[in-house]
Amino acid sequence: EDQVTQSPEALRLQEGESSSLNCSYTVSGLRGLFWYRQDPGKGPEFLFTLYSAGEEKEKERLKATLTKKESFLHITAPKPEDSATYLCAVQAASGGSYIPTFGRGTSLIVHP
Amino acid sequence: EAGVTQFPSHSVIEKGQTVTLRCDPISGHDNLYWYRRVMGKEIKFLLHFVKESKQDESGMPNNRFLAERTGGTYSTLKVQPAELEDSGVYFCASTRRQGGDEQFFGPGTRLTVL
């Protein structure tokens, strides 16, 4: 069974204090690993897809990286508007249903 | 382009009652997914429609849940009769193609069963 574990559960940062969120996964053949951002009262919003170990993607202050066992979401010089819950999900290559398995998320608060 | 919409945003019902949730996907998106997040847990898959057909309903918890997508446009998810453990946030998402990377999520319906 595919599993996704995210750490830490919650993270408080000062504005400008860079950090990383972790997503550890086990999957029977990885098709893709996804990062989403979720604001309170809203649905998840897509950020990145990573397909293979060594791949990196960037968007503004966010950078996602992937190894064979985990993914990191690096946040450089965060701002208060980066406060949100960040979700990681994996999609298995087998089965054909392409259903993602989600982690519980990391709740990030950035203080001004 | 309008996003995925869900109705209602909140629903509070008593155990044993019936509730119907609605999802309107992005126009042209053949693939529609229902998910549920129970408090403190991860988002979990319920089922997947391709147009009006159920492609995968392996995540449906039991036969108290009935999903439909008549005409391949909007979808409804009916819970009858509702139980306490059905409480949670129900999300709908859509994609243009199956296996599409970016799933567009709606804002969710928060269901509380008392």
PDB file of all heavy atoms in Angstrom, chain B residues 14-44:
ATOM      1  N   GLU B  14     -28.562  15.718  11.172  1.00  0.00           N
ATOM      2  CA  GLU B  14     -28.599  14.758  12.267  1.00  0.00           C
ATOM      3  C   GLU B  14     -28.381  13.351  11.723  1.00  0.00           C
ATOM      4  O   GLU B  14     -28.704  13.054  10.557  1.00  0.00           O
ATOM      5  CB  GLU B  14     -29.921  14.863  13.011  1.00  0.00           C
ATOM      6  CG  GLU B  14     -30.068  16.194  13.755  1.00  0.00           C
ATOM      7  CD  GLU B  14     -31.258  16.206  14.680  1.00  0.00           C
ATOM      8  OE1 GLU B  14     -32.061  15.251  14.641  1.00  0.00           O
ATOM      9  OE2 GLU B  14     -31.394  17.178  15.445  1.00  0.00           O
ATOM     10  N   LYS B  15     -27.870  12.525  12.579  1.00  0.00           N
ATOM     11  CA  LYS B  15     -27.671  11.109  12.236  1.00  0.00           C
ATOM     12  C   LYS B  15     -28.977  10.533  11.706  1.00  0.00           C
ATOM     13  O   LYS B  15     -30.047  10.754  12.255  1.00  0.00           O
ATOM     14  CB  LYS B  15     -27.229  10.348  13.485  1.00  0.00           C
ATOM     15  CG  LYS B  15     -27.092   8.859  13.296  1.00  0.00           C
ATOM     16  CD  LYS B  15     -26.687   8.202  14.599  1.00  0.00           C
ATOM     17  CE  LYS B  15     -26.724   6.687  14.450  1.00  0.00           C
ATOM     18  NZ  LYS B  15     -26.361   5.988  15.691  1.00  0.00           N
ATOM     19  N   GLY B  16     -28.868   9.799  10.596  1.00  0.00           N
ATOM     20  CA  GLY B  16     -30.033   9.186   9.999  1.00  0.00           C
ATOM     21  C   GLY B  16     -30.646   9.988   8.866  1.00  0.00           C
ATOM     22  O   GLY B  16     -31.441   9.464   8.089  1.00  0.00           O
ATOM     23  N   GLN B  17     -30.283  11.264   8.776  1.00  0.00           N
ATOM     24  CA  GLN B  17     -30.814  12.089   7.703  1.00  0.00           C
ATOM     25  C   GLN B  17     -30.030  11.870   6.414  1.00  0.00           C
ATOM     26  O   GLN B  17     -28.991  11.184   6.390  1.00  0.00           O
ATOM     27  CB  GLN B  17     -30.778  13.568   8.099  1.00  0.00           C
ATOM     28  CG  GLN B  17     -31.783  13.936   9.180  1.00  0.00           C
ATOM     29  CD  GLN B  17     -31.834  15.425   9.441  1.00  0.00           C
ATOM     30  OE1 GLN B  17     -30.811  16.123   9.448  1.00  0.00           O
ATOM     31  NE2 GLN B  17     -33.045  15.946   9.686  1.00  0.00           N
ATOM     32  N   THR B  18     -30.533  12.465   5.353  1.00  0.00           N
ATOM     33  CA  THR B  18     -29.920  12.352   4.033  1.00  0.00           C
ATOM     34  C   THR B  18     -29.333  13.702   3.635  1.00  0.00           C
ATOM     35  O   THR B  18     -29.921  14.745   3.906  1.00  0.00           O
ATOM     36  CB  THR B  18     -30.962  11.918   2.990  1.00  0.00           C
ATOM     37  OG1 THR B  18     -31.463  10.624   3.337  1.00  0.00           O
ATOM     38  CG2 THR B  18     -30.359  11.880   1.590  1.00  0.00           C
ATOM     39  N   VAL B  19     -28.175  13.659   2.990  1.00  0.00           N
ATOM     40  CA  VAL B  19     -27.565  14.882   2.488  1.00  0.00           C
ATOM     41  C   VAL B  19     -27.047  14.628   1.086  1.00  0.00           C
ATOM     42  O   VAL B  19     -26.570  13.524   0.781  1.00  0.00           O
ATOM     43  CB  VAL B  19     -26.422  15.359   3.414  1.00  0.00           C
ATOM     44  CG1 VAL B  19     -25.290  14.351   3.457  1.00  0.00           C
ATOM     45  CG2 VAL B  19     -25.908  16.733   2.984  1.00  0.00           C
ATOM     46  N   THR B  20     -27.188  15.623   0.237  1.00  0.00           N
ATOM     47  CA  THR B  20     -26.683  15.526  -1.138  1.00  0.00           C
ATOM     48  C   THR B  20     -25.718  16.671  -1.387  1.00  0.00           C
ATOM     49  O   THR B  20     -26.070  17.840  -1.217  1.00  0.00           O
ATOM     50  CB  THR B  20     -27.828  15.577  -2.159  1.00  0.00           C
ATOM     51  OG1 THR B  20     -28.717  14.473  -1.933  1.00  0.00           O
ATOM     52  CG2 THR B  20     -27.276  15.485  -3.576  1.00  0.00           C
ATOM     53  N   LEU B  21     -24.513  16.327  -1.785  1.00  0.00           N
ATOM     54  CA  LEU B  21     -23.482  17.300  -2.100  1.00  0.00           C
ATOM     55  C   LEU B  21     -23.380  17.406  -3.620  1.00  0.00           C
ATOM     56  O   LEU B  21     -23.521  16.414  -4.333  1.00  0.00           O
ATOM     57  CB  LEU B  21     -22.132  16.872  -1.519  1.00  0.00           C
ATOM     58  CG  LEU B  21     -22.136  16.382  -0.062  1.00  0.00           C
ATOM     59  CD1 LEU B  21     -20.721  16.008   0.364  1.00  0.00           C
ATOM     60  CD2 LEU B  21     -22.732  17.421   0.855  1.00  0.00           C
ATOM     61  N   ARG B  22     -23.079  18.622  -4.077  1.00  0.00           N
ATOM     62  CA  ARG B  22     -22.986  18.821  -5.518  1.00  0.00           C
ATOM     63  C   ARG B  22     -21.617  19.381  -5.890  1.00  0.00           C
ATOM     64  O   ARG B  22     -21.039  20.195  -5.169  1.00  0.00           O
ATOM     65  CB  ARG B  22     -24.075  19.765  -6.002  1.00  0.00           C
ATOM     66  CG  ARG B  22     -23.935  20.155  -7.485  1.00  0.00           C
ATOM     67  CD  ARG B  22     -25.107  20.903  -8.008  1.00  0.00           C
ATOM     68  NE  ARG B  22     -24.827  21.446  -9.341  1.00  0.00           N
ATOM     69  CZ  ARG B  22     -25.728  21.554 -10.318  1.00  0.00           C
ATOM     70  NH1 ARG B  22     -26.983  21.157 -10.116  1.00  0.00           N
ATOM     71  NH2 ARG B  22     -25.394  22.067 -11.485  1.00  0.00           N
ATOM     72  N   CYS B  23     -21.143  18.948  -7.057  1.00  0.00           N
ATOM     73  CA  CYS B  23     -19.872  19.439  -7.585  1.00  0.00           C
ATOM     74  C   CYS B  23     -20.050  19.800  -9.051  1.00  0.00           C
ATOM     75  O   CYS B  23     -20.532  18.989  -9.845  1.00  0.00           O
ATOM     76  CB  CYS B  23     -18.787  18.382  -7.445  1.00  0.00           C
ATOM     77  SG  CYS B  23     -17.276  18.758  -8.384  1.00  0.00           S
ATOM     78  N   ASP B  24     -19.649  20.995  -9.402  1.00  0.00           N
ATOM     79  CA  ASP B  24     -19.603  21.407 -10.811  1.00  0.00           C
ATOM     80  C   ASP B  24     -18.139  21.520 -11.224  1.00  0.00           C
ATOM     81  O   ASP B  24     -17.434  22.423 -10.757  1.00  0.00           O
ATOM     82  CB  ASP B  24     -20.321  22.735 -11.008  1.00  0.00           C
ATOM     83  CG  ASP B  24     -21.823  22.591 -10.937  1.00  0.00           C
ATOM     84  OD1 ASP B  24     -22.354  22.493  -9.800  1.00  0.00           O
ATOM     85  OD2 ASP B  24     -22.461  22.527 -11.999  1.00  0.00           O
ATOM     86  N   PRO B  25     -17.669  20.643 -12.098  1.00  0.00           N
ATOM     87  CA  PRO B  25     -16.257  20.694 -12.500  1.00  0.00           C
ATOM     88  C   PRO B  25     -16.007  21.826 -13.483  1.00  0.00           C
ATOM     89  O   PRO B  25     -16.948  22.493 -13.938  1.00  0.00           O
ATOM     90  CB  PRO B  25     -16.053  19.337 -13.171  1.00  0.00           C
ATOM     91  CG  PRO B  25     -17.390  19.037 -13.776  1.00  0.00           C
ATOM     92  CD  PRO B  25     -18.405  19.592 -12.798  1.00  0.00           C
ATOM     93  N   ILE B  26     -14.765  22.022 -13.827  1.00  0.00           N
ATOM     94  CA  ILE B  26     -14.412  22.990 -14.858  1.00  0.00           C
ATOM     95  C   ILE B  26     -14.961  22.487 -16.191  1.00  0.00           C
ATOM     96  O   ILE B  26     -14.855  21.285 -16.498  1.00  0.00           O
ATOM     97  CB  ILE B  26     -12.890  23.184 -14.922  1.00  0.00           C
ATOM     98  CG1 ILE B  26     -12.414  23.866 -13.632  1.00  0.00           C
ATOM     99  CG2 ILE B  26     -12.479  23.991 -16.141  1.00  0.00           C
ATOM    100  CD1 ILE B  26     -10.911  23.955 -13.483  1.00  0.00           C
ATOM    101  N   SER B  27     -15.537  23.385 -16.958  1.00  0.00           N
ATOM    102  CA  SER B  27     -16.133  23.012 -18.228  1.00  0.00           C
ATOM    103  C   SER B  27     -15.107  22.322 -19.129  1.00  0.00           C
ATOM    104  O   SER B  27     -13.979  22.808 -19.281  1.00  0.00           O
ATOM    105  CB  SER B  27     -16.674  24.270 -18.930  1.00  0.00           C
ATOM    106  OG  SER B  27     -17.200  23.948 -20.193  1.00  0.00           O
ATOM    107  N   GLY B  28     -15.493  21.173 -19.677  1.00  0.00           N
ATOM    108  CA  GLY B  28     -14.594  20.445 -20.564  1.00  0.00           C
ATOM    109  C   GLY B  28     -13.747  19.404 -19.868  1.00  0.00           C
ATOM    110  O   GLY B  28     -13.041  18.633 -20.522  1.00  0.00           O
ATOM    111  N   HIS B  29     -13.790  19.385 -18.549  1.00  0.00           N
ATOM    112  CA  HIS B  29     -13.036  18.376 -17.805  1.00  0.00           C
ATOM    113  C   HIS B  29     -13.865  17.101 -17.690  1.00  0.00           C
ATOM    114  O   HIS B  29     -14.871  17.059 -16.989  1.00  0.00           O
ATOM    115  CB  HIS B  29     -12.676  18.900 -16.418  1.00  0.00           C
ATOM    116  CG  HIS B  29     -11.530  19.856 -16.419  1.00  0.00           C
ATOM    117  ND1 HIS B  29     -10.844  20.198 -15.273  1.00  0.00           N
ATOM    118  CD2 HIS B  29     -10.940  20.528 -17.430  1.00  0.00           C
ATOM    119  CE1 HIS B  29      -9.874  21.039 -15.586  1.00  0.00           C
ATOM    120  NE2 HIS B  29      -9.922  21.274 -16.891  1.00  0.00           N
ATOM    121  N   ASP B  30     -13.399  16.046 -18.371  1.00  0.00           N
ATOM    122  CA  ASP B  30     -14.132  14.785 -18.362  1.00  0.00           C
ATOM    123  C   ASP B  30     -13.953  14.017 -17.057  1.00  0.00           C
ATOM    124  O   ASP B  30     -14.778  13.207 -16.692  1.00  0.00           O
ATOM    125  CB  ASP B  30     -13.667  13.895 -19.519  1.00  0.00           C
ATOM    126  CG  ASP B  30     -14.127  14.422 -20.869  1.00  0.00           C
ATOM    127  OD1 ASP B  30     -15.084  15.221 -20.918  1.00  0.00           O
ATOM    128  OD2 ASP B  30     -13.525  14.019 -21.889  1.00  0.00           O
ATOM    129  N   ASN B  31     -12.823  14.257 -16.387  1.00  0.00           N
ATOM    130  CA  ASN B  31     -12.499  13.485 -15.189  1.00  0.00           C
ATOM    131  C   ASN B  31     -12.895  14.254 -13.936  1.00  0.00           C
ATOM    132  O   ASN B  31     -12.505  15.419 -13.751  1.00  0.00           O
ATOM    133  CB  ASN B  31     -11.005  13.175 -15.144  1.00  0.00           C
ATOM    134  CG  ASN B  31     -10.589  12.256 -16.260  1.00  0.00           C
ATOM    135  OD1 ASN B  31     -10.658  11.045 -16.140  1.00  0.00           O
ATOM    136  ND2 ASN B  31     -10.178  12.843 -17.373  1.00  0.00           N
ATOM    137  N   LEU B  32     -13.659  13.587 -13.098  1.00  0.00           N
ATOM    138  CA  LEU B  32     -14.132  14.196 -11.859  1.00  0.00           C
ATOM    139  C   LEU B  32     -13.868  13.243 -10.716  1.00  0.00           C
ATOM    140  O   LEU B  32     -14.135  12.041 -10.814  1.00  0.00           O
ATOM    141  CB  LEU B  32     -15.631  14.507 -11.977  1.00  0.00           C
ATOM    142  CG  LEU B  32     -16.293  15.285 -10.838  1.00  0.00           C
ATOM    143  CD1 LEU B  32     -17.468  16.103 -11.386  1.00  0.00           C
ATOM    144  CD2 LEU B  32     -16.741  14.400  -9.704  1.00  0.00           C
ATOM    145  N   TYR B  33     -13.307  13.766  -9.648  1.00  0.00           N
ATOM    146  CA  TYR B  33     -12.924  12.966  -8.492  1.00  0.00           C
ATOM    147  C   TYR B  33     -13.619  13.501  -7.249  1.00  0.00           C
ATOM    148  O   TYR B  33     -13.771  14.711  -7.070  1.00  0.00           O
ATOM    149  CB  TYR B  33     -11.414  13.042  -8.262  1.00  0.00           C
ATOM    150  CG  TYR B  33     -10.559  12.655  -9.447  1.00  0.00           C
ATOM    151  CD1 TYR B  33     -10.327  13.548 -10.486  1.00  0.00           C
ATOM    152  CD2 TYR B  33      -9.969  11.397  -9.520  1.00  0.00           C
ATOM    153  CE1 TYR B  33      -9.549  13.203 -11.563  1.00  0.00           C
ATOM    154  CE2 TYR B  33      -9.180  11.041 -10.602  1.00  0.00           C
ATOM    155  CZ  TYR B  33      -8.973  11.951 -11.617  1.00  0.00           C
ATOM    156  OH  TYR B  33      -8.196  11.605 -12.694  1.00  0.00           O
ATOM    157  N   TRP B  34     -13.995  12.583  -6.377  1.00  0.00           N
ATOM    158  CA  TRP B  34     -14.470  12.939  -5.036  1.00  0.00           C
ATOM    159  C   TRP B  34     -13.462  12.436  -4.010  1.00  0.00           C
ATOM    160  O   TRP B  34     -12.959  11.307  -4.110  1.00  0.00           O
ATOM    161  CB  TRP B  34     -15.825  12.312  -4.742  1.00  0.00           C
ATOM    162  CG  TRP B  34     -17.005  12.993  -5.372  1.00  0.00           C
ATOM    163  CD1 TRP B  34     -17.659  12.630  -6.515  1.00  0.00           C
ATOM    164  CD2 TRP B  34     -17.687  14.141  -4.880  1.00  0.00           C
ATOM    165  NE1 TRP B  34     -18.688  13.483  -6.766  1.00  0.00           N
ATOM    166  CE2 TRP B  34     -18.741  14.419  -5.769  1.00  0.00           C
ATOM    167  CE3 TRP B  34     -17.523  14.968  -3.763  1.00  0.00           C
ATOM    168  CZ2 TRP B  34     -19.622  15.483  -5.594  1.00  0.00           C
ATOM    169  CZ3 TRP B  34     -18.395  16.020  -3.583  1.00  0.00           C
ATOM    170  CH2 TRP B  34     -19.428  16.271  -4.496  1.00  0.00           C
ATOM    171  N   TYR B  35     -13.186  13.304  -3.026  1.00  0.00           N
ATOM    172  CA  TYR B  35     -12.302  12.973  -1.925  1.00  0.00           C
ATOM    173  C   TYR B  35     -12.973  13.369  -0.619  1.00  0.00           C
ATOM    174  O   TYR B  35     -13.896  14.179  -0.590  1.00  0.00           O
ATOM    175  CB  TYR B  35     -10.973  13.756  -2.020  1.00  0.00           C
ATOM    176  CG  TYR B  35     -10.115  13.481  -3.216  1.00  0.00           C
ATOM    177  CD1 TYR B  35     -10.262  14.214  -4.390  1.00  0.00           C
ATOM    178  CD2 TYR B  35      -9.131  12.495  -3.174  1.00  0.00           C
ATOM    179  CE1 TYR B  35      -9.448  13.972  -5.484  1.00  0.00           C
ATOM    180  CE2 TYR B  35      -8.310  12.252  -4.268  1.00  0.00           C
ATOM    181  CZ  TYR B  35      -8.473  12.995  -5.417  1.00  0.00           C
ATOM    182  OH  TYR B  35      -7.663  12.752  -6.499  1.00  0.00           O
ATOM    183  N   ARG B  36     -12.443  12.833   0.466  1.00  0.00           N
ATOM    184  CA  ARG B  36     -12.936  13.211   1.792  1.00  0.00           C
ATOM    185  C   ARG B  36     -11.756  13.365   2.736  1.00  0.00           C
ATOM    186  O   ARG B  36     -10.799  12.573   2.685  1.00  0.00           O
ATOM    187  CB  ARG B  36     -13.896  12.163   2.354  1.00  0.00           C
ATOM    188  CG  ARG B  36     -14.389  12.473   3.763  1.00  0.00           C
ATOM    189  CD  ARG B  36     -15.438  11.492   4.213  1.00  0.00           C
ATOM    190  NE  ARG B  36     -14.908  10.176   4.488  1.00  0.00           N
ATOM    191  CZ  ARG B  36     -15.653   9.163   4.950  1.00  0.00           C
ATOM    192  NH1 ARG B  36     -16.943   9.353   5.177  1.00  0.00           N
ATOM    193  NH2 ARG B  36     -15.105   8.003   5.179  1.00  0.00           N
ATOM    194  N   ARG B  37     -11.833  14.379   3.583  1.00  0.00           N
ATOM    195  CA  ARG B  37     -10.827  14.548   4.633  1.00  0.00           C
ATOM    196  C   ARG B  37     -11.535  14.561   5.977  1.00  0.00           C
ATOM    197  O   ARG B  37     -12.300  15.489   6.278  1.00  0.00           O
ATOM    198  CB  ARG B  37     -10.015  15.824   4.461  1.00  0.00           C
ATOM    199  CG  ARG B  37      -8.913  15.934   5.518  1.00  0.00           C
ATOM    200  CD  ARG B  37      -7.890  16.978   5.204  1.00  0.00           C
ATOM    201  NE  ARG B  37      -6.715  16.797   6.041  1.00  0.00           N
ATOM    202  CZ  ARG B  37      -5.581  17.456   5.894  1.00  0.00           C
ATOM    203  NH1 ARG B  37      -5.458  18.353   4.939  1.00  0.00           N
ATOM    204  NH2 ARG B  37      -4.565  17.235   6.700  1.00  0.00           N
ATOM    205  N   VAL B  38     -11.252  13.536   6.762  1.00  0.00           N
ATOM    206  CA  VAL B  38     -11.740  13.475   8.132  1.00  0.00           C
ATOM    207  C   VAL B  38     -10.748  14.225   9.011  1.00  0.00           C
ATOM    208  O   VAL B  38      -9.538  14.190   8.753  1.00  0.00           O
ATOM    209  CB  VAL B  38     -11.881  12.007   8.585  1.00  0.00           C
ATOM    210  CG1 VAL B  38     -12.230  11.924  10.043  1.00  0.00           C
ATOM    211  CG2 VAL B  38     -12.920  11.291   7.731  1.00  0.00           C
ATOM    212  N   MET B  39     -11.246  14.895  10.030  1.00  0.00           N
ATOM    213  CA  MET B  39     -10.396  15.733  10.879  1.00  0.00           C
ATOM    214  C   MET B  39      -9.177  14.970  11.383  1.00  0.00           C
ATOM    215  O   MET B  39      -9.302  13.872  11.927  1.00  0.00           O
ATOM    216  CB  MET B  39     -11.197  16.265  12.058  1.00  0.00           C
ATOM    217  CG  MET B  39     -10.434  17.278  12.896  1.00  0.00           C
ATOM    218  SD  MET B  39     -11.412  17.948  14.231  1.00  0.00           S
ATOM    219  CE  MET B  39     -12.649  18.825  13.303  1.00  0.00           C
ATOM    220  N   GLY B  40      -8.012  15.570  11.174  1.00  0.00           N
ATOM    221  CA  GLY B  40      -6.780  14.970  11.666  1.00  0.00           C
ATOM    222  C   GLY B  40      -6.190  13.915  10.756  1.00  0.00           C
ATOM    223  O   GLY B  40      -5.115  13.392  11.038  1.00  0.00           O
ATOM    224  N   LYS B  41      -6.887  13.611   9.681  1.00  0.00           N
ATOM    225  CA  LYS B  41      -6.398  12.572   8.770  1.00  0.00           C
ATOM    226  C   LYS B  41      -6.072  13.175   7.397  1.00  0.00           C
ATOM    227  O   LYS B  41      -6.269  14.353   7.159  1.00  0.00           O
ATOM    228  CB  LYS B  41      -7.467  11.478   8.606  1.00  0.00           C
ATOM    229  CG  LYS B  41      -7.828  10.772   9.899  1.00  0.00           C
ATOM    230  CD  LYS B  41      -6.781   9.775  10.279  1.00  0.00           C
ATOM    231  CE  LYS B  41      -7.171   8.949  11.499  1.00  0.00           C
ATOM    232  NZ  LYS B  41      -8.205   7.948  11.187  1.00  0.00           N
ATOM    233  N   GLU B  42      -5.569  12.320   6.514  1.00  0.00           N
ATOM    234  CA  GLU B  42      -5.219  12.803   5.185  1.00  0.00           C
ATOM    235  C   GLU B  42      -6.431  12.809   4.268  1.00  0.00           C
ATOM    236  O   GLU B  42      -7.446  12.165   4.552  1.00  0.00           O
ATOM    237  CB  GLU B  42      -4.109  11.925   4.582  1.00  0.00           C
ATOM    238  CG  GLU B  42      -4.505  10.492   4.329  1.00  0.00           C
ATOM    239  CD  GLU B  42      -4.353   9.605   5.559  1.00  0.00           C
ATOM    240  OE1 GLU B  42      -4.198  10.130   6.682  1.00  0.00           O
ATOM    241  OE2 GLU B  42      -4.402   8.376   5.381  1.00  0.00           O
ATOM    242  N   ILE B  43      -6.314  13.515   3.162  1.00  0.00           N
ATOM    243  CA  ILE B  43      -7.343  13.485   2.126  1.00  0.00           C
ATOM    244  C   ILE B  43      -7.361  12.091   1.518  1.00  0.00           C
ATOM    245  O   ILE B  43      -6.315  11.560   1.124  1.00  0.00           O
ATOM    246  CB  ILE B  43      -7.041  14.533   1.037  1.00  0.00           C
ATOM    247  CG1 ILE B  43      -7.148  15.953   1.610  1.00  0.00           C
ATOM    248  CG2 ILE B  43      -7.966  14.357  -0.159  1.00  0.00           C
ATOM    249  CD1 ILE B  43      -6.708  17.034   0.641  1.00  0.00           C
ATOM    250  N   LYS B  44      -8.557  11.514   1.427  1.00  0.00           N
ATOM    251  CA  LYS B  44      -8.670  10.152   0.878  1.00  0.00           C
ATOM    252  C   LYS B  44      -9.610  10.114  -0.307  1.00  0.00           C
ATOM    253  O   LYS B  44     -10.673  10.744  -0.293  1.00  0.00           O
ATOM    254  CB  LYS B  44      -9.140   9.174   1.958  1.00  0.00           C
ATOM    255  CG  LYS B  44      -8.063   8.826   2.967  1.00  0.00           C
ATOM    256  CD  LYS B  44      -8.274   7.451   3.568  1.00  0.00           C
ATOM    257  CE  LYS B  44      -7.025   6.998   4.294  1.00  0.00           C
ATOM    258  NZ  LYS B  44      -7.165   5.661   4.873  1.00  0.00           N
TER     259      LYS B  44
END
